[in-house]
Each structure stands twice: as structure tokens, then as C-alpha cells.
Amino acid sequence: GAVVSQHPSRVICKSGTSVKIECRSLDFQATTMFWYRQFPKQSLMLMATSNEGSKATYEQGVEKDKFLINHASLTLSTLTVTSAHPEDSSFYICSAGQGARSPLHFGNGTRLTVT
Amino acid sequence: KQEVTQIPAALSVPEGENLVLNCSFTDSAIYNLQWFRQDPGKGLTSLLLIQSSQREQTSGRLNASLDKSSGRSTLYIAASQPGDSATYLCAVTHGSSNTGKLIFGQGTTLQVKP
């Protein structure tokens, strides 16, 4: 079945540094991928829609200059958290779908801890 | 604004019981509804996808229903097993097309005791 791979699964970084998270669709092409964030004991909140070959679309309240998204190919989207702060510590998950009537597939998530 | 609510927030049952998880949404204009399973610290596994024109979907011991007009969906788990212990999330795609943007409920954390 369709698989979405996310890397790394866990990262710890110091405040002020940048962290890149990769999301890959392993056996299908995805023109669109989605990035979600999940704080402890809360549900997933959509951050942005990643569009292959064009700019990402950000949800209200998400800083596009802080969360840089690049979707350079049909199988890879990256999320870079720039100048990370402790309040950015969260679980980041990406998703991708194969078509209009197919379920979305999620990566295993990345646990980011900023110290 | 579309809001998704799941009740109960947590549920503990003995092994073998049948159980129902509830999901409600405030705006009936949805494209589809999806149930997911999330294990602690892990990503999401899609369980069932119901299109807005459908009433239910079944997969093994799982059955999901959708009543769009009343804004409700249920996930029925038959003969529960300890391996079913996880958080179950309900999510809707709001609107008339598959934008891929999901609005999630808070989830129901299920514990099935041996």
C-alpha cells in the first residue's frame, strides 16, 4: 500500500538553530502534501499545504518565514523550522494522498524538542 | 467554522466488548470523513474513509457510519482486543471538493484490558 516516510523521527536542537524535516511518498507521486502540528494531548492542526513546484499555502496564524516549506519534486516535501524556540517543540506530521477519492496517508511524525 | 468533537475523550473496556466511538461536526458541508488510529508517539493509520454520499464503511471488525445531515459519525469496534488500544481520531474534509485539508477531533483514547 501507499507509504509516506518522514525523517527524522526525533530531533533535539538548541534554541536559535534550524531543523529540517523530510516527507517522502515512497510509491506514489504527490503533487500536494500537508504539514500538521500536534501539541501534547491536543489534536492535529493543519499548518500548511505544500504544492509541488509552487509556493506553499499557510493556514491562518502560521508564520511562513518561520516554517519554510519546499516541495521540489513529486515525492519530497521538506519543512524547515527556522530559529527554533522551545515553544516550537511539538510533533510534526506530514500527509499525502493518491487522488481525490483516496484516503490520505500520514508519515510517522517527527518529535521536535527545542532546548 | 467547522469544528469536530469526539466523545468520550477516554474509554476503558474489558477485552471482548463491542464499543462505539462518537464523532460530531458542526457543518454538514463535508466532502468526506475519515477515521484514524494513532499509537503513542506515532503517526496516523487510516482505518476507514466515508465519502459524503455514503452511509457506512466496514473493514474487518470496524464499522463506521455517517449521518451527514445530523453531523454525526460513529466508529463501531466489535470484539475488542488489547491490540486495539490506541487513540482514535475522526477528521473531516470540509467543503465540496477534496482539498486534502483535514479538520480533526480531539480523539478518543481507548484502553482494552485483557
Side-chain angles (χ1 to χ4, degrees):
Chain A
V3 177
V4 173
S5 173
Q6 195 171 333
H7 178 81
S9 59
R10 189 179 296 269
V11 58
I12 301 172
C13 70
K14 292 187 176 180
S15 186
T17 61
S18 296
V19 174
K20 180 184 285 188
I21 303 169
E22 293 187 348
C23 180
R24 294 180 185 273
S25 56
L26 295 186
D27 54 359
F28 65 98
Q29 295 182 332
T31 55
T32 305
M33 292 184 177
F34 304 90
W35 288 96
Y36 290 81
R37 180 168 55 186
Q38 184 179 34
F39 289 108
K41 299 196 182 297
Q42 296 187 27
S43 194
L44 282 76
M45 297 294 292
L46 179 66
M47 297 176 65
T49 303
S50 173
N51 305 299
E52 188 268 335
S54 64
K55 291 182 179 180
T57 307
Y58 291 82
E59 296 300 303
Q60 191 173 10
V62 177
E63 301 174 57
K64 63 179 181 180
D65 294 330
K66 180 169 184 64
F67 299 99
L68 300 180
I69 292 173
N70 184 285
H71 196 151
S73 77
L74 286 169
T75 59
L76 174 63
S77 174
T78 60
L79 169 68
T80 301
V81 183
T82 62
S83 186
H85 288 99
E87 56 264 33
D88 298 324
S89 298
S90 186
F91 194 54
Y92 293 86
I93 312 178
C94 68
S95 73
Q98 291 182 276
R101 298 187 75 81
S102 298
L104 288 168
H105 301 282
F106 282 77
N108 278 332
T110 297
R111 172 71 62 191
L112 170 63
T113 303
V114 184
T115 61
Chain B
K1 178 186 174 185
Q2 177 73 273
E3 293 182 358
V4 180
T5 304
Q6 290 185 246
I7 295 173
L11 182 63
S12 180
V13 300
E15 181 177 5
E17 271 204 7
N18 303 325
L19 58 102
V20 175
L21 307 182
N22 297 291
C23 172
S24 62
F25 43 96
T26 55
D27 191 331
S28 62
I30 64 168
Y31 185 81
N32 59 35
L33 182 144
Q34 202 163 342
W35 282 93
F36 295 90
R37 169 187 173 136
Q38 184 177 30
D39 291 289
K42 302 291 186 181
L44 277 65
T45 300
S46 177
L47 298 174
L48 291 164
L49 169 69
I50 309 177
Q51 302 295 343
S52 62
S53 59
Q54 297 175 323
R55 299 282 294 182
E56 66 175 346
Q57 283 285 339
T58 298
S59 175
R61 293 183 294 110
L62 305 180
N63 175 277
S65 69
L66 174 63
D67 184 341
K68 201 172 77 163
S69 61
S70 67
R72 294 181 182 179
S73 175
T74 61
L75 178 67
Y76 175 82
I77 302 177
S80 59
Q81 303 171 358
D84 295 331
S85 299
T87 295
Y88 291 81
L89 294 165
C90 160
V92 301
T93 300
H94 183 63
S96 58
S97 63
N98 189 13
T99 61
K101 297 181 180 182
L102 299 182
I103 301 171
F104 283 85
Q106 299 273 47
T108 294
T109 299
L110 172 66
Q111 182 184 31
V112 181
K113 298 179 179 178

